[in-house]
Amino acid sequence: MLLQPPSQLRPKIRIDSAELRLVELKLLNPFRISTGVATKKTFPLLILRSGNIEGYAEGVCDTLPDYLPETTVSSMMMMRDVFLPQIIGKEFSTPYELSQMMRHWRDHQMAKACVEMAYWDLWAKTLGLSLSHALGGTRKDVEVGVSLGIKEIPDTLLDVERHVQQGYRRIKLKVMPGHDLKLLEKVRNRFPDIHLTVDANCAYTLADLALLRQFDDFDLDYIEQPLAWDDLQDHAKLQSMMRTAICLDECIRTPELCRKALAIDAGRVINIKVGRVGGHANARQIHDICQAHDVPVWCGGMLESGIGRAHNIHLSTLEQFKRPGDTSSSSRYFERDIVCEKLETENGIMPVPSNGAGIGVTPDYDFLETVTLSRETL
Ligand code: OSB
Ligand code: MG
């Protein structure tokens, strides 16, 4: 990527105004993970305006701090009261400049990401580039898998079967204590050849070592975030005692944490979520650190609408994204999405959205109006 873009890629872009909405979409199916169940997706949607160009992004925060500490309220507050007032009316030449403005504030990665991502879209559109190209990506489409929420085992078997038939390239099962080995045994017996992974969302501790080591029997591509969201040390200990690769999600929130994790072999695969790590610049830096360590990465998801999903797909076109991502078809999540374009896979392949420059999708403003809970202009 263009960490120091040449002068022709440094247009002065003045951020004239911002529109911050809170949007709510009903999920087609409840999504249960070890920390709880989601029946709807409530998220901040940010529109940055410069002249007649609009840049879009969505926040990946949850209503309550059950994935990471950030919440919808804290994220909206940081954008409205801190980040947006710092950038509106100002000119930026690159997303790195803007990212730098927010750097000294601690944490709030999801709020920072939302602001930075909307600017990436503006920047790429001003340059007439697809976001993928602006980020340094090359692929025209990306491989995807699915993340299946916790259900009764027979229902999960049907879920797996349906998605394998649809051609998804990897099946990820959510697990938790009491819902793990028996599930894996049934799924593995029935589907001996699929790429299979599990995600515990921090539900275990090292006291479960004997149990976790039995996961080695199921030929998993990796086990995602078995231990605490703020841990690296115990993951390193667990990795040293398991054959299966550990994939880190929650505990990688900055490039620094990624560097430290790889230095102690706390994981051998990294799930990159652009929202979790504070934006595309950090995502790209984590990507580069992993590339230097020959550690594969893949793009995670947070049940995003078409705006966040499009950002994720563009990011996934970078070289080190060597495992299928979680950016599956929008129609798996929502009856109707807030963008005009379809984001659908065919045989486990998601095309990079390309309706114009930037993220390549456009809001369906009429529908968006009907699912907007609040809206403010800054
Ligand atoms: O841990 O990857 C996760 C959804 C919400 C919170 C955390 C996670 C997830 C998913 C869903 O696994 C991925 C998706 O389909 O968007
Ligand atoms: Mg995860």
Side-chain angles (χ1 to χ4, degrees):
M1 181 180 41
L2 309 151
L3 277 170
Q4 282 300 336
S7 57
Q8 71 272 21
L9 296 182
R10 300 173 62 86
K12 286 244 174 285
I13 302 173
R14 181 179 184 274
I15 300 175
D16 298 326
S17 66
E19 185 178 317
L20 183 59
R21 297 186 184 224
L22 188 63
V23 176
E24 189 165 282
L25 292 175
K26 201 178 169 307
L27 290 174
L28 281 173
N29 302 111
F31 186 69
R32 180 177 293 281
I33 67 176
S34 65
T35 57
V37 62
T39 56
K40 57 195 180 182
K41 172 75 190 175
T42 312
F43 58 97
L45 180 74
L46 178 65
I47 306 167
L48 292 180
R49 297 199 168 92
S50 180
N52 56 6
I53 302 182
E54 294 187 334
Y56 312 108
E58 72 178 89
V60 299
C61 43
D62 288 313
T63 309
L64 293 171
D66 51 9
Y67 168 73
L68 283 174
E70 215 169 333
T71 64
T72 311
V73 168
S74 69
S75 212
M76 296 277 281
M77 184 276 279
M78 287 304 292
M79 283 195 269
R80 179 199 305 117
D81 297 343
V82 183
F83 302 144
L84 293 172
Q86 269 198 311
I87 65 163
I88 291 169
K90 298 212 173 66
E91 282 185 345
F92 297 91
S93 299
T94 72
Y96 307 102
E97 255 181 57
L98 179 136
S99 186
Q100 202 64 31
M101 291 272 302
M102 298 185 284
R103 179 164 256 151
H104 66 285
W105 300 110
R106 307 263 159 104
D107 211 320
H108 297 94
Q109 301 303 72
M110 295 171 178
K112 286 176 183 168
C114 190
V115 174
E116 192 246 31
M117 290 160 76
Y119 184 85
W120 270 97
D121 187 27
L122 259 187
W123 188 60
K125 282 170 176 161
T126 305
L127 295 171
L129 292 174
S130 136
L131 176 61
S132 159
H133 293 154
L135 287 166
T138 48
R139 300 176 188 145
K140 294 255 170 306
D141 48 39
V142 302
E143 276 197 304
V144 292
V146 286
S147 171
L148 301 180
I150 293 172
K151 294 181 179 175
E152 298 292 332
I153 292 176
D155 294 331
T156 300
L157 285 168
L158 290 172
D159 255 4
V160 175
E161 180 164 29
R162 180 151 24 89
H163 288 99
V164 168
Q165 271 169 10
Q166 288 171 19
Y168 281 104
R169 304 296 168 103
R170 172 273 279 148
I171 303 289
K172 155 169 147 185
L173 302 173
K174 292 288 185 176
V175 293
M176 60 189 286
H179 183 77
D180 41 36
L181 296 178
K182 202 166 128 220
L183 168 74
L184 282 174
E185 201 180 300
K186 298 260 185 213
V187 173
R188 198 34 119 190
N189 274 340
R190 182 89 164 265
F191 304 93
D193 300 324
I194 60 172
H195 285 281
L196 187 64
T197 72
V198 295
D199 186 359
N201 292 105
C202 316
Y204 299 91
T205 71
L206 280 186
D208 302 305
L209 181 62
L211 169 78
L212 289 167
R213 290 184 71 178
Q214 293 180 66
F215 284 47
D216 274 344
D217 297 341
F218 300 101
D219 191 25
L220 304 174
D221 287 6
Y222 49 79
I223 163 170
E224 187 175 337
Q225 194 70 33
L227 309 177
W229 67 273
D230 56 352
D231 167 74
L232 292 179
Q233 213 65 46
D234 285 358
H235 279 97
K237 182 149 188 199
L238 180 62
Q239 182 66 88
S240 74
M241 302 181 88
M242 291 190 71
R243 235 178 329 114
T244 310
I246 290 176
C247 169
L248 300 175
D249 176 352
E250 280 90 331
C251 61
I252 305 299
R253 301 176 302 282
T254 61
E256 271 299 279
L257 284 165
C258 180
R259 179 184 66 75
K260 291 175 184 175
L262 299 190
I264 61 170
D265 193 26
R268 296 177 182 167
V269 179
I270 301 292
N271 166 339
I272 297 184
K273 290 180 183 168
V274 54
R276 188 193 71 227
V277 304
H280 284 301
N282 279 355
R284 175 62 206 246
Q285 226 179 307
I286 291 171
H287 165 278
D288 294 352
I289 292 167
C290 290
Q291 194 159 41
H293 283 78
D294 202 20
V295 164
V297 308
W298 57 277
C299 185
M302 292 290 282
L303 318 177
E304 286 94 340
S305 84
I307 297 291
R309 194 168 301 277
H311 274 278
N312 292 341
I313 299 165
H314 282 272
L315 179 66
S316 308
T317 62
L318 272 64
E319 201 183 344
Q320 195 63 11
F321 284 80
K322 294 192 168 174
R323 299 284 181 276
D326 270 347
T327 50
S328 55
S329 296
S330 166
S331 60
R332 292 187 57 242
Y333 305 83
F334 313 112
E335 190 177 307
R336 185 170 171 182
D337 205 333
I338 60 167
V339 297
C340 299
E341 298 74 13
K342 291 234 168 303
L343 293 176
E344 299 296 309
T345 56
E346 214 181 300
N347 198 24
I349 299 291
M350 177 67 91
V352 177
S354 58
N355 187 10
I359 60 173
V361 295
T362 45
D364 176 346
Y365 274 110
D366 287 339
F367 178 61
L368 184 56
E369 222 40 65
T370 68
V371 290
T372 296
L373 299 181
S374 71
R375 171 184 170 176
E376 50 201 310
T377 303
L378 293 110

